[in-house]
Amino acid sequence: MENNRGLSMTASTRRTKRGRALSPSRLLVLETLESTAEPLSLPGLVARVKLHENTVRGHLDALLTDGFVSREQAYSEGRGRPSWLWFALEPAHQPASTVEYAGLASALANTISTTATDPVSAARAAGEDWGQELVANGKIREHDPASSAAEHVAGFLEDFGFAPRVIDESTIKLHRCPLLDAATKHPDVVCNVHLGLVAGALAEGNVDATAQSLTPFTAPGVCTLRLAVGHASKTGGRS
């Protein structure tokens, strides 16, 4: 149902982190981003929703805080800071694999950070073993040869709640961390578990790529995963 301004009247089904229903104009901004295939600049969004630029900017900031949208910097050849491009995130969901993963990984991060002589190496190794187990047990889908390694990785990271966005064949932006609290406390451990998870899954799945690096917070709320494409993981799959 819509009112005479074209605003959706289903705001009561979409709520902020504090439990308040989104206002009709904020919902309009969100639904406009959800219905657009490509990210939108602020002026582009303003042109579509017909609201004042400052109003749209405020709605975007609030939607970003509540986890409904994310942003990436637009490419710019000129001087000055590049503008932001905005896009909607998929609604958060927690399939069984995510719930299992979150509990195990949180405990693992705490244990490794306090007991391991070399927490970073231990985290990477644990992640690799885990990724191989998930593929071997059918909990990570097989790689479709018609898709790129980046698309394959983004596919299973989506299942784990990372809200990935493929930038190119070797770069994936992660717009949500399902272990944000643990990552804030132990970033080296958590990020290397995630890096190892990808490396192990690629190795076990015989995908001709490996996880090269995972850099946290390369932009507000965004981490960057880079793959080395055409370089199979040295860990190898299971025999």
Side-chain angles (χ1 to χ4, degrees):
M1 179 179 180
E2 297 183 349
N3 63 14
N4 58 10
R5 291 188 62 194
L7 302 180
S8 171
M9 299 300 288
T10 60
S12 61
T13 66
R14 313 292 288 274
R15 297 183 177 275
T16 69
K17 289 181 177 179
R18 295 185 178 183
R20 295 182 178 179
L22 299 186
S23 68
S25 59
R26 187 164 299 172
L27 186 63
L28 173 63
V29 171
L30 175 58
E31 290 181 338
T32 299
L33 290 174
E34 288 177 332
S35 65
T36 305
E38 297 296 327
L40 292 175
S41 64
L42 178 60
L45 185 55
V46 167
R48 285 166 171 77
V49 300
K50 309 300 182 185
L51 297 172
H52 191 277
E53 182 175 303
N54 289 340
T55 300
V56 175
R57 184 181 289 109
H59 286 322
L60 287 171
D61 288 342
L63 290 168
L64 179 66
T65 298
D66 285 321
F68 288 109
V69 304
S70 189
R71 62 186 184 179
E72 58 190 26
Q73 286 190 321
Y75 176 75
S76 175
E77 294 182 345
R79 295 182 177 180
R81 178 179 296 179
S83 61
W84 290 111
L85 295 176
W86 296 85
F87 57 93
L89 294 174
E90 293 292 329
H93 63 285
Q94 285 200 327
S97 58
T98 304
V99 175
E100 176 187 9
Y101 151 73
L104 289 173
S106 293
L108 180 66
N110 289 328
T111 300
I112 289 177
S113 64
T114 56
T115 63
T117 303
D118 184 351
V120 170
S121 296
R124 175 67 184 258
E128 289 178 355
D129 287 344
W130 188 20
Q132 292 181 26
E133 286 281 359
L134 289 172
V135 173
N137 294 331
K139 293 185 177 181
I140 288 180
R141 67 194 74 176
E142 293 183 2
H143 177 227
D144 181 355
S147 65
S148 68
E151 291 169 336
H152 172 64
V153 171
F156 68 75
L157 289 182
E158 178 67 37
D159 293 339
F160 284 106
F162 284 90
R165 185 176 182 83
V166 176
I167 304 303
D168 55 43
E169 67 175 9
S170 62
T171 307
I172 304 170
K173 299 287 187 180
L174 308 178
H175 292 269
R176 185 185 296 121
C177 179
L179 288 179
L180 185 59
D181 289 343
T184 301
K185 297 176 183 177
H186 312 293
D188 287 344
V189 170
V190 172
C191 290
N192 275 282
V193 168
H194 293 159
L195 188 63
L197 167 66
V198 175
L202 290 172
E204 183 69 17
N206 296 315
V207 182
D208 193 20
T210 191
Q212 188 174 51
S213 65
L214 176 57
T215 307
F217 309 119
T218 51
V222 180
C223 300
T224 300
L225 172 66
R226 298 195 185 279
L227 307 178
V229 180
H231 300 277
S233 173
K234 295 180 181 179
T235 61
R238 292 179 181 278
S239 58

